Structure formats: C-alpha cells, structure tokens
C-alpha cells in the first residue's frame, strides 16, 4: 500500500545538482525550468522539439460536459474545445485547430496560469486573476466565458516522473467552483453548479508517447488515473478534502468497442470502478511528421474508493467524467 501522506511540493522541478525531484507531492511547484537538467549534446539539440506543455479544463455537470485545452508540442501548437450534451448523449460542438507550421500558443511555466491559442477559427484563453482563472473560448460552434475559483484551493497533486524520455511534471486539481456560460447551437448552458478540474503538464517527452487516462471529480470525492508513460506517478484520489496516492491502475476495455463499459482497478485494492460511456470523441490523424490516435469517452463512473487511513469504503455513483486512450507521435 502506498504512503498516505504526500510531502509538500518543492519550489522547483530540479534539485541543486540539476536532477529531477521525482515523486508525488501536495501543492504547486512554483518554478518550471528544465534548462539546468544535464543533457547530452544530442538531447540538447532535440530539447525544443521534445518540450511539451498543456493546460486542460473540464467542466462537469449532470446535463453536460465541457472540455478545452491549449497544447504546446514544441514545434507547433494546438487547441480544442467541445461540449457534450448528456441528456441527448451527443456532442453539440467539437472544435480543434493547430497553428502548423507556425506556433500560435503561449503557456506560462507555472500551473493554472496564463495560456492562450489563436488560429484557424478557434481562440482559447486562460488568464490568471489572483484568486480565479478567467477562461474564454471563441469559435463559430462554441462560445464560453467562465471564472474558475482558485481560492480556497483544495489539495493539488504535483508529480514529477522519469516519463519516457527525460522527465515530465504534472499538476492536477480536484473539484473547483465555476461560474459563467457556454453558448452552443442556439442554447445557453449555465456553468453555475458545474464542477471544474484543471490539468497542467510540462515535460520533456519522447517522440512516441501513449497513455490511458481517467478523471472525474465531485464535491466529496474525485480521482486522476493514468496507465502509460508516467507509470503510477499521477494516480491519486481526493476524499472529503484530503489527497491520497494510489498504486498502479489497470484499464480493461475493448479499443474496438470503446462505448462498451471500461473497468479500472488499482493494484492496492483501494479503487474499483466501472465506466459507462455515454458518448465519444475520436481522432485518427496521420501527417508526414506527426500522428495522433485517440479516443476520449464521456460518461459516468460507478464503484468505490477506499480511504487508506480508516478503511472506509466510499461509494462512487454516477460521477461524471472521462476516459482516454491516446497514442501520439509528436
């Protein structure tokens, strides 16, 4: 069973010798600077192409789920935004754009801060305003204006791992309050009552990277799970305002039938979930210099999470969230 108390996040990604501070922490790492990391000449040349950063926001509600992100892959940038109507079980808007061969994104080297993308019919903007994050999306299909509250901030998971090339870091939030609206297909969706969660990632990744991921958050419990390039470094759950690490998680699903139920279990026995997809986003893009193949399912989680301190089993019932199976050659 993993340790039940996470140490506080360090001030920087690297120690005094320039080595990554591998581990799981609670809190935010203020400074994200990989430059002092020792590299071979070849690694130094590849560094600008291997440096990947993204900031993702999910807004989960009983009636809908909104997802959006700004992504910097080093040699170019991209963004996406979508709105899934859970009542109709269909995607009402799904907008994506890239800036290739230019670079149309700006991301701060700190979590939950400024990020922006403009290009090809889509604009996404995150702006840090002291105790909140202002978020805007502009496109023909979807317009959104939101304020995500960052104060008080529940415990944040910060993880640094060896990943699959040099090193990678990520920050995950649990449930955050949000207000605002989203306009789509002539409808206005109020964001009041939705649950926001944030993901900021920054690292030096291999050209080929793959992962499976699951995330869902409510006011009393939530989780972030991954099987792939970060191993179990970012597996964690939140129970009644406290953050706990989880061990390795096995994702069992049929990639050929992703709308069938998924099973997720942690090796420490603390988590067992069934994910029931309600809809799906999928993309299979093969370009000359890059490719991406992913499925992202939207739906509900049912099962249990066990408090590692008390042994109390908490029921997970109809918790809105997503799963993902992603392969990237970037």
């Amino acid at each position: 069973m993993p340790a039940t108390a996470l140490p506080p996040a360090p001030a920087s990604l690297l120690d005094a010798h320039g080595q990554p501070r591998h581990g799981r922490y609670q809190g935010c790492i203020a400074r994200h600077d990989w430059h002092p990391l020792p590299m071979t000449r070849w690694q130094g040349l590849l560094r600008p192409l291997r440096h990947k950063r993204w900031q993702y926001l999910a807004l989960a509600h009983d009636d809908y789920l909104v997802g959006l992100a700004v992504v910097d892959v080093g040699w170019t940038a991209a963004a996406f935004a979508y709105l899934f109507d859970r009542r109709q079980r269909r995607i009402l808007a799904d907008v994506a754009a890239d800036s290739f061969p230019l670079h149309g994104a700006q991301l701060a080297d700190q979590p939950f801060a400024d990020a922006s993308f403009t290009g090809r019919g889509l604009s996404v903007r995150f702006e840090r305003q002291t105790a909140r994050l202002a978020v805007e999306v502009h496109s023909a299909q979807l317009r959104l204006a939101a304020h995500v509250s960052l104060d008080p901030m529940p415990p944040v998971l910060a993880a640094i791992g060896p990943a699959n090339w040099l090193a990678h870091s990520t920050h995950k939030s649990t449930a955050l309050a949000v207000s605002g609206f989203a306009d789509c297909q002539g409808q206005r969706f109020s964001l009041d009552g939705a649950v926001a969660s944030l993901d900021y990632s920054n690292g030096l990744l291999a050209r080929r990277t793959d992962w499976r991921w699951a995330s869902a958050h409510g006011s009393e419990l939530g989780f972030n799970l991954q099987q792939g390039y970060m191993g179990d470094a970012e597996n964690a759950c939140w129970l009644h305002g406290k953050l706990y690490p989880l061990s390795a998680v096995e994702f069992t699903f049929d990639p050929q039938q992703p709308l069938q139920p998924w099973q997720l279990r942690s090796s420490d026995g603390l988590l067992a979930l069934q994910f029931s997809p309600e809809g799906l986003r999928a993309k299979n893009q093969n370009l000359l210099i890059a490719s991406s193949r992913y499925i992202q399912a939207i739906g509900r989680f049912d099962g249990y999470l066990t408090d590692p301190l008390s042994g109390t089993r908490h029921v997970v019932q109809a918790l809105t969230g997503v799963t993902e199976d992603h392969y990237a050659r970037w």
Side-chain angles (χ1 to χ4, degrees):
M1 182 177 294
T4 54
L6 293 176
S12 60
L13 298 170
L14 307 177
D15 63 21
H17 303 288
Q19 296 301 315
R21 302 179 190 267
H22 295 316
R24 278 179 282 193
Y25 306 95
Q26 181 170 304
C28 290
I29 301 168
R31 189 167 71 254
H32 285 66
D33 183 5
W34 296 109
H35 284 91
L37 182 68
M39 298 183 187
T40 66
R41 182 174 180 274
W42 180 243
Q43 289 171 336
L45 291 173
L46 288 176
R47 182 189 177 283
L49 303 177
R50 298 286 184 264
H51 191 189
K52 317 296 181 183
R53 298 180 296 172
W54 61 87
Q55 185 151 278
Y56 167 85
L57 169 67
L59 303 171
H61 190 275
D62 289 344
D63 295 335
Y64 60 81
L65 188 137
V66 176
L68 59 107
V70 173
V71 183
D72 174 358
V73 299
W75 49 273
T76 188
F80 67 81
Y82 69 88
L83 189 152
F84 177 77
D85 189 323
R86 299 188 68 208
R87 297 164 300 184
Q88 301 181 55
R89 294 200 169 197
R90 69 186 186 97
I91 293 174
L92 300 186
D94 191 357
V95 191
D98 62 66
S99 57
F100 183 78
L102 304 175
H103 197 294
Q106 298 287 332
L107 280 94
D109 279 320
Q110 62 186 92
F112 315 151
D114 293 357
S116 64
F117 172 91
T118 302
R120 293 196 176 95
L122 174 62
S123 171
V124 178
R125 180 179 179 85
F126 296 85
E127 182 183 353
R128 182 67 180 260
Q129 298 176 345
T130 311
R132 68 185 188 182
L133 195 62
V135 185
E136 296 181 354
V137 175
H138 295 278
S139 73
Q141 292 185 39
L142 177 65
R143 295 177 64 87
L144 177 144
H147 286 143
V148 178
S149 176
L150 303 179
D151 185 16
M153 172 69 86
V156 172
L157 171 69
I160 305 171
N164 59 356
W165 192 54
L166 292 181
H168 187 70
S169 72
T170 189
H171 285 73
K172 314 288 185 183
S173 85
T174 188
L176 302 169
V178 61
S179 61
F181 64 87
D183 289 340
C184 180
Q185 293 197 6
Q187 303 178 64
R188 171 154 289 190
F189 294 81
S190 171
L191 303 180
D192 299 351
V195 171
S197 57
L198 287 161
D199 174 339
Y200 173 80
S201 295
N202 185 322
L204 301 166
L205 296 176
R207 176 150 168 73
R208 292 176 174 82
T209 307
D210 65 278
W211 64 87
R212 284 139 300 286
W213 175 64
S215 176
H217 300 274
S219 59
E220 296 299 323
L221 60 83
F223 51 82
N224 183 88
L225 311 171
Q226 194 218 61
Q227 182 184 26
Y229 69 96
M230 280 285 277
D232 62 358
E234 62 174 72
N235 290 341
C237 66
W238 289 259
L239 292 170
H240 303 297
K242 295 183 178 180
L243 171 63
Y244 301 108
L246 293 170
S247 64
V249 174
E250 182 72 24
F251 286 63
T252 303
F253 67 104
D254 185 348
Q256 304 305 315
Q257 300 184 74
L259 287 173
Q260 295 299 309
W262 300 41
Q263 306 296 328
L264 294 83
R265 291 184 177 272
S266 63
S267 62
D268 55 22
L270 296 177
L271 173 144
L273 299 168
Q274 175 170 292
F275 176 70
S276 302
E278 299 168 350
L280 187 73
R281 298 176 62 241
K283 188 175 183 179
N284 192 347
Q285 187 176 36
N286 191 0
L287 305 176
L288 181 63
I289 61 172
S291 62
S292 177
R293 182 179 69 249
Y294 73 83
I295 53 174
Q296 186 177 83
I298 302 131
R300 58 177 281 174
F301 289 90
D302 297 275
Y304 67 81
L305 283 169
T306 302
D307 187 318
L309 294 180
S310 68
T312 302
R313 182 171 289 186
H314 299 270
V315 174
V316 178
Q317 185 173 19
L319 186 61
T320 307
V322 298
T323 58
E324 185 173 275
D325 182 32
H326 197 141
Y327 164 82
R329 180 169 61 88
W330 54 6

